[in-house]
Amino acid sequence: MAYAIPLGLLLWNRQYLWQWFLAMNPESKMILTVIPAVLLIDPISTVCSQIYYATLPSSIPETDLIYTYGSKKNLLDRATQRYIEDELFYTFWQSPSSEGITRLHKILDKALRLPFYTKPLVYNKKKITEALKHFPDELIDRLNRFALAEITFQKMDVPPQGHYPVYFQGAPGTGKSYAAKQLAQAMGTNLAVITLDGATIDDMTGTPFESFDGKAGRLVDAIIANTVSSKDINHKNQVLFVDEFDMLLLKSDKQAEEIIGFLLKLLDPAHRSFYNPYLKTNIRLPDTVILAGNSDIHELSIKFPQLEAMASRLDKVVFEGFSTEAKKDIAFESIIPQLEEGYQSTGENMKTFSLSDFEKAKIEAFILQDSDPGLRSLEKYINEIFEVKLQVLMDIKADKEF
């Protein structure tokens, strides 16, 4: 400050400035001489630093997260953006920690895998028919109509108001899950699967990350399950498959009643979204929803009057089971080859592992007398045949080594 006033007053007059400079002591002259050099060198240093950090940026734990979030930021709704930026990133940068970076990873992993766009779906009757070839012809025709209607609805500017889920009814193993998976694949989309058995309302909707048992919830986990990482681009028009829907209806406890009330509202076409406390945003369910259960939903509605309105709107598709010939085809064209391939992949000494003609004949004999309409008994018996064969081979190998 000692030099600031004289400099300000004398800058306009070079003569007075030069005289003032000559009158200064040697130490002051040295300081004044260094100032221009510093003013010249400092911008050069700043530019060099900027070039260095641009070409060789410093590594920080959240770098990849920042890049990934930035690439998808505009796809997220405003509420989720504010939550991630104002609460997550800001809080982390205020006090960085390993727990903070873990929190960022967990929440962004869910948020950035949410559906962002509508994928064009194409109806292909031949593909659907081939995928469902083991089912009865009437059921194949019904599922073809269902797929065509769903794809058509998605192309409409204003979807129909009464677009309720369809209900797959059938005994365990009659192919409800398999048919839903094949339908989704043939339609060119993903199947998001959720099971209601043992679920609480918090299991369904999720809980805040800050809570002791913070979780995204079964619905969010199902919707993002078909993405590998947060870099994937997920699509909205998946097929949501709600398995064991009737299990809740057969219970009479408060927990089941809460979930029933939640689902009845959620499955109404006018209320197809819910608030997720984990991500602090509203999550919309896919428009195509398949409910599945063993019981007749219309008979259950007599016991539960609150179901009557929905049951009257649900289109029921009955899975009566597989014919003997269909079971043979499934066993010898699918189940057995897949198991043989799996066993063969376990080591060099298993490369030739396969069932003998005698073992295959035993399986065929079992199919002829099997009274189970589904495949559960058949699958269990085939697995038993494989386990016995494996044990025999291991015993023979052990005896030779001994």
Side-chain angles (χ1 to χ4, degrees):
M1 290 297 296
Y3 302 106
I5 295 175
L7 281 173
L9 293 172
L10 297 174
L11 275 175
W12 62 277
N13 193 312
R14 296 181 187 178
Q15 180 180 356
Y16 291 146
L17 182 62
W18 178 247
Q19 291 176 358
W20 176 73
F21 179 74
L22 293 176
M24 293 174 62
N25 59 49
E27 292 79 6
S28 298
K29 290 180 179 178
M30 181 176 296
I31 293 173
L32 196 60
T33 305
V34 169
I35 291 175
V38 172
L39 294 175
L40 177 64
I41 294 172
D42 185 64
I44 297 175
S45 173
T46 302
V47 171
C48 291
S49 298
Q50 291 174 344
I51 294 173
Y52 172 80
Y53 286 113
T55 55
L56 296 170
S58 57
S59 177
I60 55 176
E62 66 273 21
T63 300
D64 289 341
L65 288 178
I66 294 172
Y67 288 153
T68 306
Y69 171 69
S71 66
K72 288 187 173 181
K73 173 182 175 179
N74 292 332
L75 300 177
L76 297 171
D77 61 73
R78 295 288 185 183
T80 306
Q81 287 183 36
R82 286 195 296 270
Y83 171 53
I84 291 174
E85 295 172 13
D86 298 346
E87 293 191 38
L88 299 183
F89 277 115
Y90 180 77
T91 303
F92 172 75
W93 286 326
Q94 287 289 98
S95 55
S97 64
S98 58
E99 293 80 7
I101 196 68
T102 299
R103 181 186 184 195
L104 274 173
H105 271 288
K106 286 184 176 180
I107 296 180
L108 284 179
D109 178 65
K110 304 289 186 182
L112 298 180
R113 291 164 65 189
L114 290 174
F116 294 126
Y117 79 106
T118 299
K119 181 180 181 181
L121 303 183
V122 178
Y123 172 69
N124 188 324
K125 183 177 181 179
K126 183 178 179 181
K127 189 174 182 179
I128 294 175
T129 302
E130 176 62 24
L132 303 174
K133 63 182 180 181
H134 298 305
F135 291 96
D137 290 341
E138 289 184 6
L139 184 57
I140 295 175
D141 290 341
R142 176 65 192 89
L143 295 177
N144 261 300
R145 294 200 307 272
F146 168 74
L148 176 59
E150 291 298 317
I151 292 175
T152 303
F153 290 158
Q154 292 183 20
K155 293 179 180 179
M156 294 181 181
D157 294 334
V158 181
Q161 294 182 354
H163 187 203
Y164 279 82
V166 67
Y167 182 71
F168 283 8
Q169 177 194 325
T174 50
K176 301 185 296 294
S177 301
Y178 176 80
K181 182 179 180 180
Q182 294 301 316
L183 269 178
Q185 290 180 351
M187 292 166 64
T189 187
N190 298 325
L191 184 70
V193 181
I194 180 172
T195 302
L196 301 182
D197 188 27
T200 65
I201 192 68
D202 286 344
D203 291 332
M204 299 293 293
T205 62
T207 54
F209 187 90
E210 299 81 5
S211 61
F212 174 74
D213 61 341
K215 53 193 171 188
R218 294 189 185 185
L219 285 168
V220 168
D221 287 341
I223 293 171
I224 68 174
N226 291 288
T227 54
V228 178
S229 73
S230 58
K231 296 181 180 179
D232 291 346
I233 304 295
N234 199 359
H235 59 277
K236 300 176 182 177
N237 50 337
Q238 304 178 52
V239 175
L240 178 64
F241 183 73
V242 184
D243 201 8
E244 299 180 340
F245 179 73
D246 59 331
M247 293 299 292
L248 285 174
L249 308 178
L250 298 175
K251 298 178 181 180
S252 57
D253 54 31
K254 184 178 179 181
Q255 176 178 303
E257 290 178 0
E258 287 181 347
I259 298 180
I260 291 173
F262 168 74
L263 287 177
L264 289 178
K265 181 178 179 181
L266 189 63
L267 296 176
D268 187 321
H271 305 91
R272 199 54 71 80
S273 61
F274 69 98
Y275 180 76
N276 180 260
Y278 188 88
L279 298 175
K280 293 180 171 51
T281 188
N282 288 319
I283 305 294
R284 175 150 184 97
L285 292 186
D287 290 325
T288 303
V289 180
I290 299 174
L291 309 177
N294 306 330
S295 309
D296 188 327
I297 191 72
H298 296 93
E299 292 181 3
L300 287 175
S301 66
I302 299 174
K303 182 180 178 182
F304 299 94
Q306 66 268 37
L307 283 177
E308 187 174 356
M310 173 179 280
S312 63
R313 293 179 174 89
L314 287 178
D315 190 1
K316 182 174 64 175
V317 178
V318 179
F319 287 72
E320 296 179 346
F322 298 95
S323 67
T324 299
E325 290 304 314
K327 288 182 179 179
K328 287 181 182 179
D329 291 341
I330 294 171
F332 293 105
E333 294 177 7
S334 179
I335 300 176
I336 293 175
Q338 288 178 8
L339 282 172
E340 286 179 337
E341 185 178 349
Y343 277 84
Q344 291 167 5
S345 67
T346 60
E348 287 295 327
N349 60 329
M350 297 288 287
K351 291 296 184 183
T352 58
F353 184 93
S354 61
L355 295 187
S356 64
D357 291 340
F358 174 72
E359 290 161 332
K360 291 180 179 179
K362 289 178 64 177
I363 293 174
E364 185 170 356
F366 176 86
I367 293 173
L368 293 174
Q369 57 83 39
D370 183 23
S371 59
D372 183 354
L375 300 174
R376 297 289 172 86
S377 298
L378 175 59
E379 290 172 335
K380 183 178 178 181
Y381 183 76
I382 293 176
N383 276 295
E384 185 179 327
I385 294 289
F386 273 82
E387 291 169 3
V388 171
K389 184 178 184 67
L390 177 64
Q391 187 62 61
V392 170
L393 290 176
M394 292 299 103
D395 290 344
I396 293 173
K397 181 181 178 182
D399 290 340
K400 287 182 179 179
E401 293 176 350
F402 180 74

